[in-house]
Amino acid sequence: MTPAVLADLVRSTATAVLTERGADPAVLPEKVTVERPRNPEHGDYATNVALQVAKKAGMAPRDLAQAIADRLAQADSVASAEVAGPGFLNVRLAADAQAELVKQVLTAGERYGHGDAYAGVEINLEFVSANPTGPLHLGGTRWAAVGDVLGRVLAAQGAKVTREYYFNDAGAQIDRFVASLVAAAKGEPAPEDGYAGAYISEIAAEVVRQQPDVLSLPESERDETFRKLGVQLMFDEIKRSLHEFGTHFDVFFHEDSLHRSGAVTDVVERLKSSNLLYAKDNAWWIRSSEFGDDKDRVVIKSDGAPAYIAADIAYLQDKLSRGFDLCIYMLGADHHGYIGRLKAAASALGKDPEVVEVMIGQLVNLVSGGEPVRMSKRAGTVVTMDDLVDAVGVDAARYELTRYSVDSNIDVDLDLLRKHSNENPVYYVQYAHARLASLLRNAADLGIELTDDAGDVELGLLDHPREGDLIRTIGEFPTVVRRAAELREPHRIARYLEQLASAYHKFYDACRVLPQGDESATPLTHARLALCAAARQVLANGLGLLGVSAPERM
């Protein structure tokens, strides 16, 4: 029995109790909350539903809780139901009902944890979108990990997710990039506001290799050649880094296409009749302050040139024209103002502002030997994705960057992530999976077979407290995945896996699984082996959502 199934049972029981007493069951919440109590002595699960609705139902909380407990205790799947405190309800499940969860996991396999919370919803998930003026830095690397995991989690809840990279190949930053390449090709220092680092010299040299006469071309033609080839070379490198990091995109959208196609001009002209755009000081402004921005923003400058937000509006229009129900933007720490701007843009386009959702990520710092790591050998002033991967590997990098809420700054301890010990979170979780895989191999070597669904296994024998704790932890996985999707908090997956690994290690220390010496396998052996197989499956599923490998051996 999963927490969700128990929640349904509690709600149906409460509905019957209220109906019998002439109270309106409509006072009950649509979904009853069932949680594991911090103190295991209080039961397997607890609910405060009686406290929530007693006043509306015209009953004392403890009286309502006792009535629900009395009826609930009659269910075959419930061992006991008791009232605690002012009206809390503590529930203990029957061992066989609780252990049925093991069969559910083994039957569902890789699908265990999936749900339908977002079934039929089409989501555009834009993340990373770093300017093609240098290698991916740590901020972009964090989004590469978190964005990819969020996409996996939303898809696991039934959403149709399109992962999109907005390719900023227009604007002043590209002009500075081109100037830096030209200077490097000439053997001159980088411009004062340009880009430095060995990668600039490498790209400049490759442009010259592909176009040996580039420096002798007229200035405009020369710059265009460096722009076209240099940006493509830089973007190819970004794509390579992302591919090796395990992050893939469905769409690479070019900002320049919005300008070349006339989409920017068209959408602004159309919106000038909207009450959210207005003229002032020979410019056009959008009322973004009405949506949480600190001030209104210029869309068309006084010289007639479009501001950055003009392309943002055209880009949002393009996304909406593709039929997305929700557009999620994952932006850096200095982009808070974009929340109001993009919601104002959605409203100006005639859409509910809630069609736009902006996530803001905070900074990432590297630490080694207790000191911050600030410089890259190749990129100069920033530490890159490749630097991090070279230092700790893809698995550790992805896991660590996904392990924290995006609205918190994080310090990535390189020394910790290199350790093969329980102090290293990713090692701790992966080792639990490898340990389980080893146990299952050993069972096979002993001739102990386990069917895929454990249909003939006496799972009711799993009544040890550590077995129950492991089963209940396994049972939380679907709820964790759903909440991670709903709250846009993929770090919940990593934290859950650490709890599951801990529950497994404690179980293994307290409950011997395989026979020793001349002992023969017993029904309990098979039951515990099925439980281990279920735990391994959930660890693998969770690591899969994180894009982290589930090793069979370590």
Side-chain angles (χ1 to χ4, degrees), residues 78-92:
V78 176
S80 67
E82 300 172 348
V83 179
F88 292 102
L89 188 60
N90 294 334
V91 180
R92 294 185 187 278

Side-chain angles (χ1 to χ4, degrees), residues 484-520:
E486 292 173 345
L487 299 174
R488 320 291 190 250
E489 294 182 344
H491 70 275
R492 290 172 175 262
I493 306 291
R495 298 294 179 160
Y496 164 80
L497 291 177
E498 291 162 34
Q499 295 172 8
L500 178 57
S502 175
Y504 168 68
H505 290 310
K506 291 175 181 177
F507 153 79
Y508 188 84
D509 291 343
C511 303
R512 182 155 58 87
V513 178
L514 298 180
Q516 295 180 343
D518 295 332
E519 296 176 348
S520 299

Side-chain angles (χ1 to χ4, degrees), residues 293-306:
D293 199 357
D294 57 353
K295 60 182 179 181
D296 291 348
R297 301 288 171 173
V298 173
V299 178
I300 299 295
K301 294 182 280 190
S302 58
D303 63 1

Side-chain angles (χ1 to χ4, degrees), residues 394-416:
V394 170
D395 279 351
R398 285 183 64 103
Y399 189 97
E400 183 70 4
L401 291 172
T402 312
R403 190 172 175 259
Y404 301 89
S405 172
V406 296
D407 58 9
S408 63
N409 293 339
I410 58 175
D411 292 326
V412 176
D413 188 334
L414 298 181
D415 300 322
L416 176 64

Side-chain angles (χ1 to χ4, degrees), residues 7 50 59 78 223 362 367 391 403 405 445 460 477 482 537:
M59 299 177 64
V78 176
D223 289 355
Q362 296 303 317
V367 177
R403 190 172 175 259
S405 172
D445 291 342
F477 185 57
R482 177 176 56 80
Q537 183 68 65

Side-chain angles (χ1 to χ4, degrees), residues 166 170-173 176 255 298-299 301 306-313 338:
Y166 186 51
Q173 78 278 3
R176 293 196 297 270
E255 178 187 0
V298 173
V299 178
K301 294 182 280 190
Y308 283 119
I309 193 174
D312 292 332
I313 297 173
Y338 275 78

